[in-house]
Amino acid sequence: MSNPWLLTGLAVFLWWFSTGAILWRVRRADLAGRDAHRLSVILGLPLLLVGFLGLKLTAQNVTELGGFLSFLSAIAVWGWIELAFLSGIVTGPNRKPCPALTPLPMRFLRATGTVLWHEILLLAALGAIAALVLGEPNAFGFWTFVVLFAARISAKVNLFLGVPHIHTEFLPLPLSHLASHFRHARMNVFFPVSVTLLTLAAGCWMERAASAQTDAAFAGHVLLTVLTMLALLEHWFMVLPLPDQKLWAWMLPRPVPPQSPRLETRK
């Protein structure tokens, strides 16, 4: 576990596999109908429970394995919440497309309404994880969730303000209305800020890994470094003409014909 290349490989695999698994299950549920989405969320509940249990049990474990299991437990909690969101079970009060030419303030309110319950659930989970592990010797699960949460908020803001590349083909049917709240644009003022902050955060984790006094601290900070760099990579995918969708598209069932409204384009 103290091998940085092994830790990097594990983190990258978890990022790729967990994303693909959720997209695969949601696509399968799309093909099976609304009840299949509810069933996915119910059957996935053990993932949430095991995640919180793992965070609790590893809070006192300061070995390299303890740091990795804490990281993995936070991913499990995050994964169930994302499944609940993409299944259309925990989204927000607004489930309608955004009309074209809606003024920016109103578009922001409508966009917030599409994800409000999801964001509240994420904040509640973050608070619960903080109560379980903050102040304990092993708090890497908490910081893992912080990185995921901060990166997701940043990505949503960038999609709202406008980026060149948006993969709406991954949107499941219950969330087809979200596409109308995204915007295609060459660049937005927030993007340079977001990638700069993520780069600084990755550098901070890397510095802490380099100066770690124990193997456990080294392993935990390497995992956080890789996770933050993957979040940074996902941000660059929004502006660079790279076929990143091919990382997961090959494993997904044939999609239902798209029903999402046309994206707004800023000249």
Side-chain angles (χ1 to χ4, degrees):
M1 279 295 180
S2 58
N3 185 323
W5 299 112
L6 175 60
L7 290 167
T8 298
L10 286 171
V12 171
F13 176 77
L14 279 172
W15 167 76
W16 172 80
F17 178 78
S18 60
T19 300
I22 291 173
L23 291 176
W24 179 86
R25 180 54 215 164
V26 169
R27 179 67 61 80
R28 292 288 298 178
D30 267 351
L31 297 174
R34 176 73 177 178
D35 289 341
H37 281 295
R38 295 192 184 95
L39 184 62
S40 295
V41 175
I42 294 171
L43 293 179
L45 276 172
L47 190 66
L48 178 70
L49 299 176
V50 168
F52 275 112
L53 181 61
L55 287 164
K56 178 64 176 178
L57 294 178
T58 58
Q60 299 287 336
N61 189 332
V62 293
T63 65
E64 301 99 317
L65 181 59
F68 178 75
L69 291 177
S70 180
F71 174 84
L72 187 61
S73 296
I75 297 291
V77 173
W78 179 270
W80 183 85
I81 295 175
E82 287 305 291
L83 176 63
F85 173 67
L86 291 173
S87 298
I89 305 302
V90 182
T91 55
N94 178 23
R95 293 176 177 263
K96 297 180 180 179
C98 183
L101 304 179
T102 300
L104 182 62
M106 181 56 67
R107 192 165 69 89
F108 177 78
L109 290 175
R110 295 179 65 94
T112 301
T114 63
V115 296
L116 185 60
W117 308 146
H118 175 242
E119 304 309 312
I120 291 175
L121 180 58
L122 286 175
L123 283 172
L126 182 61
I129 294 172
L132 283 175
V133 306
L134 273 190
E136 301 292 347
N138 181 4
F140 286 113
F142 170 77
W143 293 112
T144 298
F145 205 89
V146 167
V147 170
L148 291 168
F149 183 59
R152 179 53 55 86
I153 293 295
S154 175
K156 286 177 178 176
V157 171
N158 276 291
L159 288 170
F160 172 79
L161 294 177
V163 289
H165 304 290
I166 304 174
H167 297 306
T168 57
E169 67 269 27
F170 288 143
L171 281 177
L173 290 179
L175 299 183
S176 60
H177 60 285
L178 287 185
S180 64
H181 297 85
F182 301 157
R183 173 181 286 181
H184 276 307
R186 292 182 180 179
M187 182 59 65
N188 68 75
V189 296
F190 182 67
F191 184 81
V193 176
S194 59
V195 295
T196 298
L197 291 175
L198 284 170
T199 302
L200 290 174
C204 177
W205 299 130
M206 191 179 300
E207 185 278 329
R208 294 195 177 191
S211 61
Q213 300 298 310
T214 65
D215 288 343
F218 174 78
H221 285 110
V222 168
L223 290 169
L224 291 174
T225 299
V226 177
L227 185 64
T228 306
M229 292 181 71
L230 287 171
L232 179 62
L233 180 64
E234 288 182 333
H235 276 63
W236 282 111
F237 280 156
M238 291 190 282
V239 300
L240 297 177
L242 298 173
D244 56 292
Q245 72 275 18
K246 291 184 179 180
L247 289 169
W248 300 284
W250 64 271
M251 67 174 68
L252 303 182
R254 186 182 299 274
V256 175
Q259 300 178 11
S260 59
R262 181 178 298 178
L263 293 175
E264 180 181 349
T265 301
R266 185 175 66 193
K267 302 295 184 180

